[in-house]
Amino acid sequence: TRFHRTLRLIVAVQSWYRGMQVRKAAAKKIREARRKIAKSSRQADPTQTLGQRTTSALEVLLTTRNLSLVIHSCHSLVVSTEFSAECCRRMVETNSIEVLFRLIRSCNRSQPHQQLLKEALQILKNLAANPASVQAVFECRDSVDSLIEQLQMFRDKEEIFSPAVETLRLLFEDPIRAANSSLLLADSVQRLQAVHDLLQHKVELEIKYLSRSKATTSANLKQLQRSSRSVQRVLNLLNRH
């Protein structure tokens, strides 16, 4: 009927109008977003580009002993080495990996040193994950021993333990590196096995404690189990040949 045709026409016009309003509002939001991006680009500090941040951070790392500045520079290098293979290559070329290991070996269990260790080990993990720098990490003097030492000292600090053991895993993913380490660093492998055995013992003690308290799990048990499994993965890589 004419009434129904008129009603359908009205509904169609209303739908078209509402759609036009929605598209208009969306276009306005897009224009506003573009304006903000353009403004941000104009105001961007050229010293904060990834390459410049890497240069500044390396300069601090190589020339200063101020702990807070070194921690800040390491934090910048965490970002640089995660996203840029070129930054990883520059760390190799400037001998910064050796500097990182010297810093790591000089640290104790104080809170500032733990913060430095967390950043430095994260850098090493990023470097070990990058083909441009992994061999340099492995060949650095006492690199494997230094990493295992962190596992021994900080098995109760997952934020330090985790990047250290992950760096070892990345180093030993290559069968040749793993085989060389098994032969040349037998004492280090034994120390790594001792870390695993101790963690497993702590897992068993925690399970017994939880059973007496009628609990099934705990945050501490989960952390111990994660740490034990991660060390076992490294041992499996070393013993696969």
Side-chain angles (χ1 to χ4, degrees):
T1 64
R2 178 179 294 181
F3 172 76
H4 287 100
R5 287 198 299 272
T6 303
L7 184 60
R8 286 196 296 270
L9 181 60
I10 292 171
V11 170
V13 170
Q14 287 177 336
S15 298
W16 172 82
Y17 180 77
R18 284 195 298 267
M20 185 181 70
Q21 292 298 106
V22 169
R23 288 190 292 272
K24 185 177 179 181
K28 183 178 180 182
K29 290 180 180 178
I30 292 171
R31 286 196 301 271
E32 180 64 17
R34 286 174 176 168
R35 186 189 65 79
K36 289 181 179 179
I37 292 171
K39 181 179 179 182
S40 177
S41 298
R42 288 193 300 270
Q43 293 177 345
D45 184 351
T47 64
Q48 293 306 305
T49 61
L50 196 59
Q52 186 57 44
R53 285 177 64 184
T54 302
T55 299
S56 300
L58 286 174
E59 184 176 354
V60 171
L61 183 66
L62 296 169
T63 61
T64 186
R65 294 187 178 183
N66 183 296
L67 185 58
S68 61
L69 289 177
V70 171
I71 291 172
H72 180 74
S73 71
C74 283
H75 183 71
S76 294
L77 289 170
V78 168
V79 178
S80 300
T81 52
E82 182 177 2
F83 294 108
S84 171
E86 178 59 30
C87 293
C88 293
R89 282 191 288 271
R90 288 179 63 187
M91 289 205 67
V92 174
E93 293 165 359
T94 56
N95 201 35
S96 298
I97 298 175
E98 174 64 35
V99 175
L100 275 179
F101 275 111
R102 283 205 303 268
L103 283 173
I104 287 170
R105 287 190 288 268
S106 71
C107 286
N108 54 44
R109 287 183 64 91
S110 69
Q111 200 58 44
H113 279 196
Q114 287 188 39
Q115 180 63 33
L116 175 58
L117 276 172
K118 184 175 72 171
E119 303 288 357
L121 288 167
Q122 186 64 46
I123 296 169
L124 288 176
K125 188 186 86 168
N126 292 344
L127 292 170
N130 196 297
S133 48
V134 57
Q135 189 65 26
V137 175
F138 178 72
E139 292 176 352
C140 195
R141 183 175 61 88
D142 295 332
S143 59
V144 172
D145 279 341
S146 298
L147 291 167
I148 294 175
E149 186 175 329
Q150 303 316 304
L151 301 185
Q152 292 176 307
M153 290 178 59
F154 295 98
R155 59 181 180 272
D156 58 331
K157 301 289 184 182
E158 193 170 19
E159 65 273 18
I160 295 174
F161 187 97
S162 180
V165 74
E166 180 64 9
T167 301
L168 286 170
R169 185 190 69 79
L170 290 165
L171 292 179
F172 297 144
E173 276 188 335
D174 178 79
I176 296 176
R177 285 195 292 265
N180 288 341
S181 296
S182 296
L183 293 172
L184 301 176
L185 303 171
D187 290 343
S188 298
V189 177
Q190 289 179 4
R191 288 166 59 204
L192 189 61
Q193 182 66 59
V195 171
H196 178 263
D197 293 344
L198 180 57
L199 287 168
Q200 275 299 103
H201 179 63
K202 286 184 173 292
V203 166
E204 293 166 5
L205 290 177
E206 184 70 11
I207 291 173
K208 289 180 181 178
Y209 168 77
L210 290 171
S211 65
R212 289 195 299 269
S213 62
K214 294 185 169 45
T216 57
T217 190
S218 68
N220 187 46
L221 176 59
K222 290 179 180 179
Q223 177 184 330
L224 288 168
Q225 289 173 327
R226 282 195 301 271
S227 297
S228 177
R229 286 194 299 267
S230 61
V231 175
Q232 184 61 62
R233 283 194 290 269
V234 175
L235 287 168
N236 289 345
L237 292 173
L238 288 167
N239 295 327
R240 65 187 165 184
H241 61 284

